[in-house]
Amino acid sequence: LLCTLPRMAYPADDRGSYAKQLRRLQELRQQAESSGPLVDLLSSMMAPSGIETCAAEREPPSGAEEDDAEALAKLQQQGLAAEQAGEVLAQIKQADAVEDCDAESGEEPDVESLLESVRRWVHDRGNSQVVDTNEALRDFNLKVRFQGHERTTPPEHLAAVLEVLCEESCRQPDAAIWKQPVTVARRVQGSLSKWASMLDSLYSRCDALTRAELLVSAVARGAAGAPEVFIVGFLMALREELDITDEDLLTGCRAASQSKAMQAFIAFLEDEEDGSEQDNG
């Protein structure tokens, strides 16, 4: 090996260089018999002869840059601007590094649930007078979805936002005196209206066969522990603010628990549906 490798590195007509290199190899081989392993011998052989090597040039690229470019493209396809996509990618890498550190130390990472993330996000945006749909969805993706909830879906997003909005309505200082569904609807409609466009967008991305039931269930969870009039009142406000048909709302309400307030609301929706059919006829 020591005698044949240099011959491959020199042209056939460069006999002087080859002879010089061969003599150098013979000297080093004698040293190797008493002083070191073959790897060290080959390393010392390359340096004096002026032959330089570069590991980065010999090895193929790691592909990290290609992976980053692909990830950025996917983030931008989901509605993020280039700057936001870069910020999200950096945060994802940071989160991955923390997870790797936790895995090595044996500690379980502290992961925030989707509902907790949405609750924090809604609270942070609470002072906004109007929620622009496109801007809100980009901000939602940046601060909620891509913070550990990348695999969540629009139905889950819709349910979480509705549940949080209903929770906040039930915590209003004077909520205890809201005794009628119409009172609840009137009091929450103002704050709900600024979210209507975003909620409509999420609602349109859900399965038409199940979205109404999902909507009613989310409101019921948000009003857990409150009187039934809160659920019905919140649904009445959604009926006014969202692009949802009475037929869809009926489907969702019929699948929910049948309290007296809910039964009255179902009867009201049925009457509205009958009147609409008569008008069309």
Side-chain angles (χ1 to χ4, degrees), residues 125 127-132 135 193-195:
R125 295 184 65 91
N127 295 328
S128 302
Q129 296 300 316
V130 178
V131 177
D132 176 77
E135 186 276 331
S193 61
K194 71 178 183 180
W195 295 95

Side-chain angles (χ1 to χ4, degrees), residues 3 36 39 60 68 83-84 90 94 96 99 103 124 174 178 182 193 218 234 249 262 267:
C3 293
V39 173
D68 287 351
E83 184 178 352
Q84 291 177 318
Q94 183 178 3
D96 289 343
E99 289 180 2
D124 291 344
D174 58 344
W178 301 350
V182 65
S193 61
F234 201 87
L249 200 51
M262 183 64 77

Side-chain angles (χ1 to χ4, degrees), residues 225-237:
E228 287 289 334
V229 296
F230 276 83
I231 299 176
V232 175
F234 201 87
L235 291 175
M236 291 173 64

Side-chain angles (χ1 to χ4, degrees), residues 77-241:
Q77 289 173 2
Q78 298 185 38
L80 294 182
E83 184 178 352
Q84 291 177 318
E87 183 179 346
V88 168
L89 182 60
Q91 292 175 347
I92 291 175
K93 287 184 175 181
Q94 183 178 3
D96 289 343
V98 172
E99 289 180 2
D100 291 342
C101 181
D102 290 338
E104 291 177 1
S105 64
E107 298 179 359
E108 289 293 331
D110 186 14
V111 180
E112 189 177 51
S113 71
L114 175 63
L115 185 61
E116 291 171 336
S117 296
V118 171
R119 189 178 287 119
R120 172 177 47 79
W121 180 76
V122 169
H123 180 268
D124 291 344
R125 295 184 65 91
N127 295 328
S128 302
Q129 296 300 316
V130 178
V131 177
D132 176 77
T133 303
N134 292 330
E135 186 276 331
L137 288 175
R138 284 193 297 268
D139 193 55
F140 182 91
N141 284 333
L142 180 65
K143 297 179 179 178
V144 177
R145 187 179 177 193
F146 295 124
Q147 300 303 316
H149 308 291
E150 294 86 354
R151 296 187 180 183
T152 54
T153 61
E156 293 172 291
H157 304 158
L158 174 65
V161 173
L162 282 172
E163 183 172 344
V164 170
L165 292 177
C166 192
E167 285 176 354
E168 292 194 341
S169 297
C170 293
R171 288 198 294 265
Q172 295 297 317
D174 58 344
I177 64 174
W178 301 350
K179 301 299 184 181
Q180 298 295 326
V182 65
T183 305
V184 176
R186 186 167 53 249
R187 298 302 299 269
V188 305
Q189 193 168 345
S191 59
L192 187 62
S193 61
K194 71 178 183 180
W195 295 95
S197 182
M198 179 182 174
L199 292 173
D200 265 332
S201 179
L202 290 173
Y203 188 76
S204 67
R205 302 181 189 188
C206 300
D207 188 336
L209 297 177
T210 59
R211 61 190 182 184
E213 184 175 345
L214 177 146
L215 180 146
V216 175
S217 297
V219 170
R221 288 194 300 272
E228 287 289 334
V229 296
F230 276 83
I231 299 176
V232 175
F234 201 87
L235 291 175
M236 291 173 64
L238 288 175
R239 177 175 179 265
E240 294 297 323
E241 294 296 332

Side-chain angles (χ1 to χ4, degrees), residues 241-261:
E241 294 296 332
L242 302 191
D243 186 16
I244 179 173
T245 66
D246 287 344
E247 182 180 2
D248 282 351
L249 200 51
L250 263 173
T251 301
C253 290
R254 285 168 176 162
S257 60
Q258 299 297 302
S259 65
K260 289 183 178 180

Side-chain angles (χ1 to χ4, degrees), residues 239 245-248 250-251 254 268-281:
R239 177 175 179 265
T245 66
D246 287 344
E247 182 180 2
D248 282 351
L250 263 173
T251 301
R254 285 168 176 162
F268 165 77
L269 292 174
E270 289 173 341
D271 290 342
E272 290 293 304
E273 274 288 284
D274 292 339
S276 176
E277 291 176 359
Q278 291 175 3
D279 291 341
N280 292 334

